[in-house]
Amino acid sequence: MFRAKLTVLLAVLLAALACFGSAYQPSPKLVVILIIDQFRGDYLERYHSEFGANGFRLFTDRGAYFPACYYQYANTLTAPGHATIATGAYSPAHGIFSNQWWDPAQKRVITSVEDSSTKLIGGEVEGIGASPHNLLADTLADELRLATQGQSRVYGIALKDRAAILSTGFSANGAFWIDDDSGAWLTSTYYMSAPPRWLLAFNGQDSAKKYLNQEWKDTDGTLLASTKPHNFDDGKPVSFYELVGSTPFGNDYEFDFARELIQQEKLGYGAVTDLLVISLSANDILGHLAGPDAPEMRAMALALDRQIGEFVGFLNQQYGQGQYWLALTADHGVAPTQSTDKQLKLPGGSPSSSELRTQLNKDIGARLHKQADYIRSISYPMVFVNSEAFPPNVSESETEIYVAEAMKANGFLNAFTKEQMGNGELPPTSLGHLYLNSYSPYGGAWVMGVPMPFAYNATSKSIANHGSPYSYDQHVPLAFYGAAFKPGVYRDQVEPIDLAPTLAVMLGINKPTSSGGRVLTEAIAQRTRSDEPLLTAPPKPRVPKESHP
Ligand SMILES: [Zn+2]
């Protein structure tokens, strides 16, 4: 009698415990998503033989590695790339189609994240803060926060505000980026009313200054750059962002901050999984200056290989092997330089934005018999249209058509208007599909041009660029490392939108609101729960037959 009562009591207790415990299985302790700004997918193969054992090879040799990951949209830029990775969706869903755009309400160009209802905090600069308020879809981080009712903690780090903010989402506990001039770490009042004390202490410890007056040398001792402060020819000082940010010291500085954040906020020590997104900006800053095939870019990749290895060593120390998951990807690739194109007899060319603007105005002026500035700005291959300059009887969508026609007559293979893209009036081709995925309701009137392959707007400050619908801009790494992933090289073509739904299903949470990505089931180990052994099914306990005394 007593035993029967005890059994019932135990069953009730266990059921109650199961109710509490089954809402969310906390595994692993921490997920780290590494996004390298401007890191083309082929770099992992190009430098593979030179990498060490614990950096990129952790992903390519011991992780689940997808060497054919391509963005399937045309606007291959930083803000859209980070939003796409986080939301698992393209621009029509998340709204971020460029780094900045014309805002018809404020009648000025705004950045993808600036938010006049917030303020910058953390450094000595004052100014308008930033937030994810332009996102139209939620993120993997938001879903993790929802699933745990805010218990999971989420942080984003980058030298660039848009990269730290858009990669994490609405409900992040914090996103941190730097003040370009001083290098001090900043955040905005969107996340917190005052900066954490540890951040102020970090900024006060000359954490940035220690990377000034340094020499960056190649592995064979060749001097590649110095971070000695100096001025541009026009007398303006070169900012910390440009000076340190274009060397591996920029990535060192980010990893320093990441380690500090992990320790101070005790990330990965709660009852549920935490998430940290680190976007490494230095590769993009140098990439624009040097071009993808320069010896500096090789040295940067090798330095990052070592830095990732050191960071992974730190994670092992903090949590132990197998207690965290890593994901690796990039926001976009990059085109070869014009001189490389010339050398290899590839097409290309560097159309000048100011010459294009003059020519577009001339052509439209001739058609309308009125000279005016019909263009607000050009962010090649995108043209923002000054609809107000057109005669009042021309509708806004017609002003876009005037500009698109003029673009087609001036070197573009094709040009699609915002109206056409929004209505899905695009050719039923793979190129049309890419532009369908680049639409956003933001930005007033605009036209996206289809440039010639290898053509982009090169300048003296930026000899290489990205932002085209071509493979060199779309190709990025995609790889996972951790006990939950089945190591292997998976050569099917995949997309960066697959990252969020894959991690979501493994964490046992909903995928982001608008994600259209595929769950990469081929790379998932059979069991992912922390309380069950991976890869091998546990033996079933033998149930004894009921005995009737
Ligand atoms: Zn860039």
Side-chain angles (χ1 to χ4, degrees):
M1 199 51 190
F2 173 72
R3 264 172 72 173
K5 269 190 184 166
L6 192 70
T7 311
V8 170
L9 189 72
L10 261 175
V12 169
L13 263 174
L14 278 173
L17 270 175
C19 280
F20 280 113
S22 68
Y24 186 70
Q25 287 283 345
S27 110
K29 290 180 184 304
L30 182 69
V31 177
V32 180
I33 301 176
L34 295 173
I35 302 171
I36 312 173
D37 203 315
Q38 194 195 113
F39 196 86
R40 220 169 49 199
D42 60 319
Y43 295 174
L44 289 181
E45 296 296 328
R46 183 184 280 194
Y47 305 119
H48 183 267
S49 64
E50 298 181 81
F51 289 146
N54 297 315
F56 288 119
R57 280 193 178 192
L58 205 63
F59 294 97
T60 59
D61 300 12
R62 287 190 274 157
Y65 167 44
F66 293 83
C69 179
Y70 290 86
Y71 281 93
Q72 293 301 305
Y73 68 173
N75 46 320
T76 42
L77 299 164
T78 295
H82 284 81
T84 297
I85 295 163
T87 62
Y90 289 113
S91 295
H94 60 62
I96 310 297
F97 71 120
S98 187
N99 291 334
Q100 64 271 314
W101 55 78
W102 176 260
D103 180 30
Q106 300 183 63
K107 292 200 178 296
R108 64 179 182 91
V109 173
I110 57 166
T111 80
S112 59
V113 290
E114 70 170 77
D115 181 350
S116 53
S117 71
T118 68
K119 277 189 231 151
L120 285 178
I121 49 171
E124 281 164 13
V125 285
E126 285 181 2
I128 294 179
S131 82
H133 69 128
N134 285 321
L135 274 179
L136 301 175
D138 90 344
T139 63
L140 178 73
D142 290 326
E143 291 298 336
L144 185 61
R145 297 266 295 154
L146 269 170
T148 60
Q149 290 299 293
Q151 280 189 72
S152 283
R153 284 165 316 133
V154 172
Y155 290 96
I157 297 173
L159 299 184
K160 305 177 180 182
D161 56 2
R162 55 187 178 275
I165 291 168
L166 297 171
S167 60
T168 45
F170 296 103
S171 64
N173 299 76
F176 302 100
W177 59 93
I178 66 158
D179 168 35
D180 285 1
D181 292 333
S182 69
W185 287 96
L186 306 174
T187 185
S188 95
T189 52
Y190 173 82
Y191 299 99
M192 54 198 86
S193 53
R197 231 184 279 172
W198 62 260
L199 180 144
L200 296 176
F202 189 86
N203 283 344
Q205 280 160 8
D206 287 348
S207 307
K209 274 194 195 134
K210 80 171 187 228
Y211 290 115
L212 295 175
N213 295 303
Q214 296 287 325
E215 288 188 333
W216 171 30
K217 288 184 178 158
D218 202 347
T219 40
D220 62 11
T222 312
L223 180 68
L224 296 172
S226 150
T227 57
K228 191 173 183 315
H230 62 276
N231 293 345
F232 285 117
D233 293 341
D234 63 6
K236 280 190 192 149
V238 178
S239 68
F240 180 93
Y241 178 89
E242 292 160 301
L243 193 63
V244 175
S246 59
T247 70
F249 301 125
N251 286 336
D252 277 324
Y253 187 48
E254 285 196 45
F255 280 121
D256 288 349
F257 188 76
R259 288 185 186 95
E260 186 73 7
L261 184 143
I262 284 174
Q263 286 172 323
Q264 296 288 344
E265 296 292 344
K266 300 193 168 46
L267 271 196
Y269 286 97
V272 293
T273 300
D274 292 333
L275 173 65
L276 177 63
V277 184
I278 307 174
S279 170
L280 298 153
S281 312
N283 295 63
D284 183 68
I285 303 169
L286 178 69
H288 282 285
L289 297 171
D293 305 305
E296 289 87 346
M297 288 309 284
R298 171 184 163 272
M300 189 76 149
L302 297 185
L304 185 53
D305 178 59
R306 172 183 48 79
Q307 290 160 331
I308 289 175
E310 287 165 6
F311 185 67
V312 168
F314 167 81
L315 294 178
N316 285 339
Q317 245 173 30
Q318 289 288 308
Y319 311 108
Q321 250 163 352
Q323 299 297 311
Y324 58 89
W325 298 349
L326 298 176
L328 173 75
T329 189
D331 57 347
H332 54 73
V334 68
T337 61
Q338 299 299 324
S339 70
T340 301
D341 295 340
K342 218 177 228 172
Q343 201 188 328
L344 297 176
K345 295 189 234 170
L346 289 161
S350 170
S352 138
S353 287
S354 61
E355 276 169 33
L356 177 65
R357 185 175 188 148
T358 307
Q359 204 52 47
L360 296 179
N361 276 328
K362 211 172 131 194
D363 288 12
I364 299 165
R367 279 185 69 187
L368 291 170
H369 309 291
K370 186 191 156 204
Q371 288 305 316
D373 195 358
Y374 296 103
I375 309 301
R376 288 209 195 280
S377 65
I378 295 178
S379 169
Y380 193 90
M382 268 198 78
V383 176
F384 289 88
V385 181
N386 182 9
S387 297
E388 289 165 15
F390 286 78
N393 62 333
V394 180
S395 72
E396 191 174 90
S397 56
E398 284 167 342
T399 68
E400 291 179 337
I401 292 169
Y402 271 100
V403 172
E405 296 292 325
M407 286 167 73
K408 282 189 257 184
N410 284 285
F412 286 95
L413 289 178
N414 209 334
F416 302 121
T417 69
K418 180 189 184 186
E419 170 98 353
Q420 288 168 336
M421 287 165 61
N423 293 338
E425 292 160 0
L426 291 163
T429 59
S430 50
L431 193 79
H433 178 71
L434 299 178
Y435 282 80
L436 194 66
N437 279 343
S438 301
Y439 172 78
S440 167
Y442 295 132
W446 47 257
V447 181
M448 269 189 206
V450 183
M452 277 285 291
F454 302 106
Y456 59 86
N457 187 209
T459 64
S460 58
K461 265 191 150 185
S462 178
I463 66 163
N465 218 331
H466 48 89
S468 83
Y470 298 116
S471 59
Y472 47 80
D473 283 341
Q474 298 170 328
H475 191 194
V476 291
L478 183 66
F480 302 90
Y481 174 77
F485 303 94
K486 197 156 67 184
V489 182
Y490 304 91
R491 292 188 171 84
D492 277 343
Q493 191 164 316
V494 296
E495 303 175 37
I497 58 168
D498 300 337
L499 183 151
T502 299
L503 287 178
V505 75
M506 297 173 77
L507 290 165
I509 63 176
N510 293 329
K511 68 179 183 178
T513 51
S514 312
S515 177
R518 180 172 78 82
V519 175
L520 302 169
T521 51
E522 62 272 38
I524 298 177
Q526 275 183 336
R527 290 171 189 275
T528 63
R529 293 268 161 86
S530 62
D531 52 350
E532 290 170 346
L534 289 155
L535 294 168
T536 51
K540 275 193 178 152
R542 274 177 51 175
V543 183
K545 279 193 178 144
E546 291 259 7
S547 57
H548 299 278

Coordinates of all heavy atoms in Angstrom, one line a residue, residues 37-96:
D37 N 33.7 40.2 -42.4 CA 33.3 41.2 -43.3 C 34.1 41.2 -44.6 O 35.4 41.4 -44.5 CB 33.3 42.6 -42.7 CG 32.4 43.6 -43.3 OD1 32.3 43.7 -44.5 OD2 31.7 44.3 -42.6
Q38 N 33.5 40.9 -45.7 CA 34.3 40.8 -47.0 C 35.3 39.6 -46.9 O 36.5 39.8 -46.9 CB 35.0 42.1 -47.4 CG 35.4 42.0 -48.9 CD 36.5 43.1 -49.2 OE1 37.6 42.8 -49.5 NE2 36.0 44.4 -49.2
F39 N 34.8 38.4 -46.8 CA 35.6 37.2 -46.9 C 35.1 36.2 -47.9 O 34.1 35.6 -47.6 CB 35.7 36.6 -45.5 CG 36.9 35.6 -45.3 CD1 38.1 36.1 -44.9 CD2 36.7 34.3 -45.5 CE1 39.2 35.2 -44.7 CE2 37.7 33.4 -45.3 CZ 39.0 33.9 -44.9
R40 N 35.7 36.2 -49.0 CA 35.1 35.4 -50.1 C 35.3 33.9 -49.8 O 36.3 33.5 -49.2 CB 35.8 35.8 -51.4 CG 34.8 35.8 -52.6 CD 35.5 36.4 -53.8 NE 36.8 35.8 -54.1 CZ 37.7 36.4 -54.8 NH1 37.5 37.6 -55.4 NH2 38.8 35.8 -55.0
G41 N 34.3 33.1 -50.2 CA 34.3 31.7 -49.9 C 35.5 30.9 -50.3 O 36.0 30.0 -49.7
D42 N 36.2 31.4 -51.5 CA 37.3 30.6 -52.0 C 38.6 30.8 -51.2 O 39.6 30.1 -51.3 CB 37.6 31.0 -53.4 CG 37.8 32.4 -53.7 OD1 37.2 33.3 -53.0 OD2 38.7 32.8 -54.5
Y43 N 38.6 31.9 -50.3 CA 39.8 32.1 -49.5 C 40.2 30.9 -48.6 O 41.3 30.6 -48.3 CB 39.7 33.3 -48.5 CG 39.5 34.6 -49.2 CD1 39.2 35.8 -48.4 CD2 39.7 34.8 -50.5 CE1 39.1 37.0 -49.0 CE2 39.5 36.1 -51.1 CZ 39.2 37.2 -50.3 OH 39.1 38.4 -50.9
L44 N 39.1 30.1 -48.1 CA 39.4 29.0 -47.3 C 40.1 27.9 -48.0 O 40.9 27.1 -47.4 CB 38.0 28.4 -46.7 CG 37.3 29.3 -45.7 CD1 36.0 28.6 -45.2 CD2 38.2 29.6 -44.5
E45 N 39.9 27.8 -49.3 CA 40.6 26.8 -50.1 C 42.0 27.4 -50.5 O 43.0 26.7 -50.5 CB 39.8 26.5 -51.4 CG 38.5 25.8 -51.1 CD 38.6 24.5 -50.5 OE1 39.6 23.8 -50.7 OE2 37.7 24.1 -49.6
R46 N 42.0 28.6 -50.9 CA 43.2 29.3 -51.4 C 44.4 29.2 -50.4 O 45.5 28.9 -50.8 CB 42.9 30.7 -51.7 CG 44.1 31.5 -52.3 CD 43.7 33.0 -52.5 NE 42.9 33.2 -53.7 CZ 42.7 34.4 -54.3 NH1 43.3 35.5 -53.7 NH2 42.0 34.6 -55.4
Y47 N 44.0 29.4 -49.1 CA 45.1 29.4 -48.1 C 45.1 28.2 -47.2 O 45.8 28.2 -46.2 CB 45.0 30.7 -47.3 CG 44.9 32.0 -48.1 CD1 43.8 32.8 -48.1 CD2 46.0 32.3 -48.9 CE1 43.8 34.0 -48.9 CE2 46.0 33.4 -49.7 CZ 44.9 34.3 -49.7 OH 44.9 35.4 -50.4
H48 N 44.3 27.2 -47.6 CA 44.1 26.0 -46.7 C 45.4 25.4 -46.2 O 45.6 25.1 -45.0 CB 43.2 25.0 -47.4 CG 42.9 23.8 -46.5 ND1 43.7 22.7 -46.5 CD2 42.0 23.6 -45.6 CE1 43.2 21.8 -45.6 NE2 42.2 22.4 -45.0
S49 N 46.4 25.3 -47.2 CA 47.6 24.6 -46.8 C 48.5 25.4 -45.9 O 49.4 24.9 -45.2 CB 48.4 24.3 -48.1 OG 48.8 25.5 -48.7
E50 N 48.2 26.7 -45.7 CA 49.0 27.6 -44.9 C 48.3 27.8 -43.5 O 48.9 28.4 -42.6 CB 49.2 28.9 -45.5 CG 50.0 28.9 -46.8 CD 50.1 30.3 -47.4 OE1 51.0 31.0 -47.0 OE2 49.3 30.6 -48.3
F51 N 47.1 27.3 -43.3 CA 46.4 27.5 -42.1 C 46.9 26.5 -41.0 O 47.3 25.4 -41.3 CB 44.9 27.3 -42.2 CG 44.2 28.4 -43.0 CD1 43.1 28.1 -43.8 CD2 44.6 29.7 -42.9 CE1 42.4 29.1 -44.5 CE2 43.9 30.7 -43.7 CZ 42.9 30.4 -44.5
G52 N 46.8 27.0 -39.7 CA 47.1 26.1 -38.6 C 46.0 25.1 -38.3 O 45.0 25.1 -39.0
A53 N 46.2 24.3 -37.2 CA 45.2 23.3 -37.0 C 43.9 23.8 -36.3 O 42.8 23.2 -36.5 CB 45.8 22.2 -36.1
N54 N 44.0 24.9 -35.6 CA 42.9 25.2 -34.7 C 42.1 26.5 -35.1 O 41.2 26.9 -34.4 CB 43.4 25.4 -33.3 CG 43.9 24.1 -32.7 OD1 43.3 23.0 -32.9 ND2 45.1 24.2 -32.1
G55 N 42.5 27.0 -36.3 CA 41.8 28.2 -36.8 C 40.7 27.8 -37.8 O 39.8 27.1 -37.4
F56 N 40.9 28.2 -39.0 CA 39.9 27.9 -40.1 C 39.8 26.4 -40.3 O 38.7 25.9 -40.7 CB 40.2 28.6 -41.4 CG 40.0 30.1 -41.4 CD1 41.0 31.0 -41.6 CD2 38.7 30.6 -41.2 CE1 40.8 32.3 -41.6 CE2 38.5 31.9 -41.1 CZ 39.5 32.8 -41.3
R57 N 40.8 25.6 -40.0 CA 40.8 24.2 -40.2 C 39.9 23.5 -39.3 O 39.4 22.3 -39.5 CB 42.2 23.6 -40.2 CG 43.0 23.8 -41.4 CD 44.2 22.9 -41.4 NE 44.9 23.0 -42.7 CZ 45.9 22.2 -43.0 NH1 46.2 21.2 -42.2 NH2 46.5 22.4 -44.1
L58 N 39.6 24.1 -38.2 CA 38.6 23.6 -37.2 C 37.3 23.4 -38.0 O 36.5 22.4 -37.8 CB 38.4 24.6 -36.1 CG 37.9 24.1 -34.7 CD1 38.9 23.1 -34.1 CD2 37.7 25.3 -33.8
F59 N 37.0 24.4 -38.8 CA 35.7 24.4 -39.6 C 35.8 23.5 -40.8 O 35.0 22.7 -41.1 CB 35.3 25.8 -40.0 CG 35.0 26.7 -38.9 CD1 35.9 27.6 -38.4 CD2 33.7 26.7 -38.4 CE1 35.6 28.4 -37.3 CE2 33.4 27.5 -37.3 CZ 34.3 28.4 -36.8
T60 N 36.9 23.7 -41.6 CA 37.0 22.9 -42.9 C 37.4 21.5 -42.7 O 37.0 20.6 -43.5 CB 38.1 23.6 -43.8 OG1 39.3 23.6 -43.2 CG2 37.7 25.0 -44.1
D61 N 38.2 21.2 -41.7 CA 38.7 19.8 -41.6 C 37.9 19.0 -40.5 O 37.9 17.8 -40.5 CB 40.2 19.8 -41.2 CG 41.0 20.4 -42.3 OD1 40.5 21.1 -43.2 OD2 42.3 20.3 -42.2
R62 N 37.4 19.7 -39.5 CA 36.8 19.0 -38.4 C 35.4 19.4 -38.1 O 34.7 18.9 -37.2 CB 37.6 19.2 -37.1 CG 38.9 18.4 -37.1 CD 39.6 18.4 -35.8 NE 40.5 19.6 -35.6 CZ 40.9 20.1 -34.5 NH1 40.4 19.5 -33.3 NH2 41.6 21.1 -34.4
G63 N 34.9 20.3 -38.9 CA 33.5 20.8 -38.8 C 32.6 20.4 -40.0 O 33.0 19.5 -40.8
A64 N 31.4 20.9 -40.0 CA 30.5 20.7 -41.2 C 30.7 21.9 -42.1 O 30.4 23.0 -41.7 CB 29.1 20.6 -40.7
Y65 N 31.4 21.6 -43.2 CA 31.9 22.7 -44.1 C 31.1 22.7 -45.4 O 31.1 21.7 -46.1 CB 33.4 22.5 -44.2 CG 34.1 23.3 -45.3 CD1 33.8 24.7 -45.5 CD2 35.0 22.8 -46.1 CE1 34.5 25.4 -46.5 CE2 35.7 23.5 -47.1 CZ 35.4 24.8 -47.3 OH 36.1 25.5 -48.2
F66 N 30.6 23.9 -45.8 CA 29.8 24.0 -47.1 C 30.6 25.0 -48.0 O 30.5 26.2 -47.9 CB 28.5 24.6 -46.8 CG 27.6 23.7 -46.0 CD1 27.6 23.6 -44.6 CD2 26.7 22.8 -46.7 CE1 26.8 22.7 -43.9 CE2 25.8 22.0 -46.0 CZ 25.9 21.9 -44.6
P67 N 31.5 24.4 -48.9 CA 32.3 25.3 -49.7 C 31.6 26.0 -50.8 O 32.1 26.9 -51.5 CB 33.4 24.3 -50.3 CG 32.7 23.0 -50.2 CD 31.8 23.0 -49.1
A68 N 30.3 25.7 -51.1 CA 29.5 26.4 -52.1 C 28.3 27.1 -51.6 O 27.2 26.8 -51.8 CB 29.1 25.4 -53.2
C69 N 28.6 28.1 -50.8 CA 27.5 28.9 -50.2 C 27.5 30.3 -50.9 O 28.5 31.0 -50.9 CB 27.8 29.2 -48.7 SG 26.5 30.1 -47.9
Y70 N 26.3 30.6 -51.5 CA 26.2 31.8 -52.3 C 24.9 32.6 -51.9 O 23.8 32.0 -51.8 CB 26.1 31.4 -53.8 CG 27.4 30.9 -54.4 CD1 27.7 29.6 -54.3 CD2 28.2 31.8 -55.1 CE1 28.9 29.1 -54.9 CE2 29.4 31.3 -55.6 CZ 29.7 30.0 -55.5 OH 30.9 29.5 -56.1
Y71 N 25.1 33.9 -51.7 CA 23.9 34.7 -51.5 C 23.1 34.7 -52.8 O 23.6 34.8 -53.9 CB 24.3 36.2 -51.2 CG 24.7 36.4 -49.8 CD1 26.0 36.3 -49.4 CD2 23.8 36.7 -48.8 CE1 26.4 36.5 -48.1 CE2 24.2 37.0 -47.5 CZ 25.5 36.8 -47.2 OH 25.9 37.0 -45.9
Q72 N 21.7 34.6 -52.7 CA 20.9 34.6 -53.9 C 20.1 36.0 -54.0 O 18.9 36.0 -54.0 CB 19.9 33.4 -53.9 CG 20.7 32.1 -54.1 CD 21.5 32.0 -55.4 OE1 20.9 32.2 -56.4 NE2 22.8 31.8 -55.3
Y73 N 20.9 37.0 -53.9 CA 20.3 38.3 -54.2 C 21.4 39.2 -54.8 O 22.6 38.8 -54.9 CB 19.7 39.0 -53.0 CG 20.6 39.4 -51.8 CD1 20.0 40.1 -50.7 CD2 21.9 39.1 -51.7 CE1 20.8 40.5 -49.6 CE2 22.7 39.5 -50.7 CZ 22.1 40.2 -49.6 OH 22.9 40.6 -48.6
A74 N 21.1 40.4 -55.2 CA 22.0 41.2 -56.0 C 22.7 42.3 -55.1 O 23.8 42.7 -55.5 CB 21.2 42.0 -57.1
N75 N 22.1 42.7 -54.0 CA 22.7 43.8 -53.2 C 23.7 43.3 -52.2 O 23.4 43.3 -51.0 CB 21.6 44.6 -52.6 CG 20.5 43.7 -51.9 OD1 20.1 42.7 -52.5 ND2 20.0 44.2 -50.8
T76 N 24.8 42.8 -52.6 CA 25.8 42.1 -51.7 C 26.6 43.2 -51.0 O 27.7 43.5 -51.3 CB 26.7 41.2 -52.6 OG1 27.0 41.9 -53.8 CG2 26.0 39.9 -53.0
L77 N 26.0 43.7 -49.9 CA 26.6 44.8 -49.1 C 26.6 44.4 -47.6 O 25.9 43.4 -47.3 CB 25.8 46.1 -49.3 CG 25.8 46.6 -50.8 CD1 24.7 47.7 -50.9 CD2 27.2 47.2 -51.1
T78 N 27.2 45.2 -46.8 CA 27.4 44.8 -45.4 C 26.1 44.8 -44.6 O 25.8 43.8 -43.9 CB 28.3 45.8 -44.7 OG1 29.6 45.7 -45.3 CG2 28.5 45.6 -43.2
A79 N 25.3 45.8 -44.7 CA 24.0 45.9 -43.9 C 23.1 44.8 -44.3 O 22.6 44.0 -43.5 CB 23.4 47.2 -43.9
P80 N 22.8 44.6 -45.6 CA 21.9 43.6 -46.1 C 22.5 42.2 -45.7 O 21.7 41.3 -45.3 CB 21.8 43.7 -47.6 CG 22.2 45.1 -47.9 CD 23.2 45.5 -46.8
G81 N 23.8 42.0 -45.8 CA 24.4 40.7 -45.5 C 24.2 40.3 -44.1 O 23.8 39.1 -43.8
H82 N 24.4 41.2 -43.2 CA 24.2 40.9 -41.7 C 22.8 40.6 -41.4 O 22.4 39.7 -40.6 CB 24.8 42.0 -40.9 CG 26.3 41.9 -40.8 ND1 27.1 42.5 -41.8 CD2 27.2 41.4 -39.9 CE1 28.4 42.3 -41.5 NE2 28.5 41.6 -40.3
A83 N 21.9 41.4 -42.0 CA 20.4 41.2 -41.8 C 20.0 39.9 -42.3 O 19.1 39.2 -41.7 CB 19.6 42.4 -42.4
T84 N 20.6 39.5 -43.5 CA 20.2 38.2 -44.1 C 20.6 37.0 -43.3 O 19.9 36.1 -43.1 CB 20.8 38.2 -45.5 OG1 20.2 39.3 -46.3 CG2 20.5 36.9 -46.2
I85 N 21.9 37.1 -42.8 CA 22.4 36.0 -41.9 C 21.5 35.8 -40.7 O 21.0 34.7 -40.3 CB 23.8 36.2 -41.5 CG1 24.7 36.3 -42.7 CG2 24.3 35.2 -40.5 CD1 26.1 36.9 -42.4
A86 N 21.1 36.9 -40.1 CA 20.4 36.9 -38.8 C 18.9 36.5 -39.0 O 18.4 35.7 -38.2 CB 20.5 38.3 -38.1
T87 N 18.3 37.0 -40.0 CA 16.9 36.7 -40.2 C 16.6 35.4 -41.0 O 15.5 34.9 -41.1 CB 16.2 37.8 -41.0 OG1 16.7 38.0 -42.3 CG2 16.3 39.2 -40.2
G88 N 17.7 34.9 -41.7 CA 17.5 33.8 -42.6 C 16.6 34.1 -43.7 O 15.8 33.2 -44.2
A89 N 16.6 35.3 -44.2 CA 15.7 35.8 -45.2 C 16.4 36.9 -46.0 O 17.4 37.5 -45.5 CB 14.4 36.3 -44.6
Y90 N 15.9 37.2 -47.2 CA 16.5 38.3 -48.0 C 15.8 39.6 -47.8 O 14.8 39.7 -47.1 CB 16.5 37.8 -49.5 CG 17.5 36.7 -49.7 CD1 17.1 35.4 -50.1 CD2 18.9 36.9 -49.6 CE1 18.0 34.4 -50.3 CE2 19.8 35.9 -49.8 CZ 19.4 34.7 -50.1 OH 20.3 33.7 -50.3
S91 N 16.2 40.6 -48.6 CA 15.8 42.0 -48.4 C 14.3 42.2 -48.4 O 13.8 43.0 -47.6 CB 16.5 42.9 -49.4 OG 17.9 42.9 -49.1
P92 N 13.5 41.6 -49.3 CA 12.0 41.9 -49.3 C 11.4 41.5 -47.9 O 10.5 42.2 -47.5 CB 11.5 40.9 -50.3 CG 12.6 40.6 -51.2 CD 13.8 40.6 -50.4
A93 N 12.0 40.6 -47.2 CA 11.5 40.2 -45.9 C 12.1 41.1 -44.8 O 11.3 41.5 -43.9 CB 11.8 38.7 -45.6
H94 N 13.4 41.4 -44.8 CA 13.9 42.1 -43.7 C 14.1 43.6 -43.9 O 14.3 44.4 -43.0 CB 15.2 41.5 -43.1 CG 16.4 41.5 -44.1 ND1 16.9 42.6 -44.7 CD2 17.0 40.4 -44.6 CE1 17.9 42.2 -45.5 NE2 18.0 40.9 -45.5
G95 N 13.9 44.0 -45.2 CA 13.8 45.5 -45.5 C 15.2 46.1 -45.7 O 15.2 47.2 -46.3
I96 N 16.3 45.5 -45.3 CA 17.6 46.2 -45.4 C 18.2 45.8 -46.8 O 18.6 44.7 -47.0 CB 18.5 45.7 -44.3 CG1 17.8 45.8 -42.9 CG2 19.8 46.5 -44.3 CD1 17.4 47.1 -42.5

